[in-house]
Amino acid sequence: MALSTMLSLLGKGMITSVGIFLLTLLFSLPLGLLVSFGRMSTNVILRTFVKVYIAVMRGTPLMLQLIVVYFAPYYVFHLKTSASFRFIAVIIAFSINYAAYFGEIYRSGIESIPQGQHEAAKVLGYTKVQTFFKIILPQVIKRILPPVTNETITLVKDTSLAFVIAVSEMFTIAKQISAKETSVMPLMIAGIFYFIFNYVVAFVMEYIEKRMQYFKG
């Protein structure tokens, strides 16, 4: 197989991998914030439900969650799904999985803010919503960026798990070409792609972290 053909095929897989990555972040980051609210809720039922959800998401393999999300509509509700549902199932499974991790990261950041700031904001006439979004959340973001960066880098590599339900992302295509051509070159190219992708993610997150530092010197 010509190198140009190989790169073209891998490029299509790369687009799928990037799509999984971006859509997962798009949905899991805001969902994680809602999870953190549920985890800290004074409502015992809601708090318990969220704790169980987090325990299940963190205690079972993402691979298994992909399989469950993809096959559940058919085996549980007897609904037929199209081939296009595979990609949707990947995004759903990845999003609810990473939301559990991001939720705990958000919670740790929110609970690290001194209670005195809430009281001071109340004295100044801020509502609870204004206090959270104008005072608490900016500080939380500064504090949670390092662990969020770690999870984001893990997400880049986890996109390769999409092969479980036959979604042809970068690594799956690389394995197929490698087996057909009996060559490790496609796998090496895929490895370089993941390295560069992770480097770009780490660079962007480091830039954001520096921009949000408390002190500059």
Side-chain angles (χ1 to χ4, degrees):
M1 180 183 293
L3 181 60
S4 58
T5 304
M6 183 187 301
L7 291 176
S8 176
L9 291 172
L10 292 173
K12 293 179 181 178
M14 179 186 69
I15 292 173
T16 302
S17 295
V18 173
I20 294 171
F21 172 81
L22 293 176
L23 288 173
T24 298
L25 284 184
L26 177 66
F27 293 116
S28 63
L29 284 172
L31 181 57
L33 188 59
L34 295 178
V35 170
S36 69
F37 291 155
R39 181 69 175 79
M40 296 182 293
S41 174
T42 55
N43 185 305
V44 177
I45 296 176
L46 176 59
R47 188 171 67 248
T48 302
F49 173 80
V50 173
K51 287 176 67 175
V52 171
Y53 156 73
I54 292 173
V56 171
M57 291 297 105
R58 297 197 303 180
T60 57
L62 176 54
M63 187 180 295
L64 175 61
Q65 294 165 23
L66 280 164
I67 294 171
V68 170
V69 171
Y70 179 63
F71 289 104
Y74 179 78
Y75 287 105
V76 178
F77 303 105
H78 304 290
L79 298 175
K80 292 184 178 180
T81 57
S82 62
S84 61
F85 180 68
R86 288 193 181 99
F87 186 79
I88 297 173
V90 167
I91 302 304
I92 292 173
F94 271 70
S95 296
I96 62 176
N97 176 276
Y98 272 85
Y101 289 91
F102 286 137
E104 287 294 82
I105 292 173
Y106 280 126
R107 182 177 68 86
S108 66
I110 293 170
E111 292 183 343
S112 70
I113 305 298
Q115 187 60 33
Q117 295 199 25
H118 293 270
E119 297 169 354
K122 186 176 181 180
V123 170
L124 292 173
Y126 283 86
T127 64
K128 288 185 177 181
V129 174
Q130 289 174 326
T131 299
F132 180 77
F133 285 101
K134 292 185 177 181
I135 299 175
I136 305 302
L137 187 59
Q139 297 179 71
V140 168
I141 292 174
K142 292 176 184 178
R143 299 187 182 196
I144 67 173
L145 273 175
V148 166
T149 299
N150 288 337
E151 289 299 323
T152 305
I153 289 174
T154 300
L155 172 59
V156 172
K157 294 176 285 187
D158 277 352
T159 57
S160 62
L161 293 175
F163 81 92
V164 175
I165 54 176
V167 173
S168 297
E169 42 63 58
M170 176 76 162
F171 194 67
T172 300
I173 293 176
K175 287 190 297 182
Q176 292 171 348
I177 297 175
S178 182
K180 182 180 179 180
E181 300 294 319
T182 61
S183 170
V184 297
M185 180 61 70
L187 296 176
M188 293 177 65
I189 294 174
I192 293 172
F193 159 75
Y194 284 114
F195 177 80
I196 294 174
F197 196 175
N198 272 322
Y199 180 83
V200 171
V201 170
F203 178 82
V204 171
M205 297 301 286
E206 184 179 358
Y207 173 79
I208 295 173
E209 190 174 346
K210 287 181 179 179
R211 293 280 296 180
M212 299 190 71
Q213 284 177 347
Y214 286 106
F215 305 103
K216 295 182 180 180

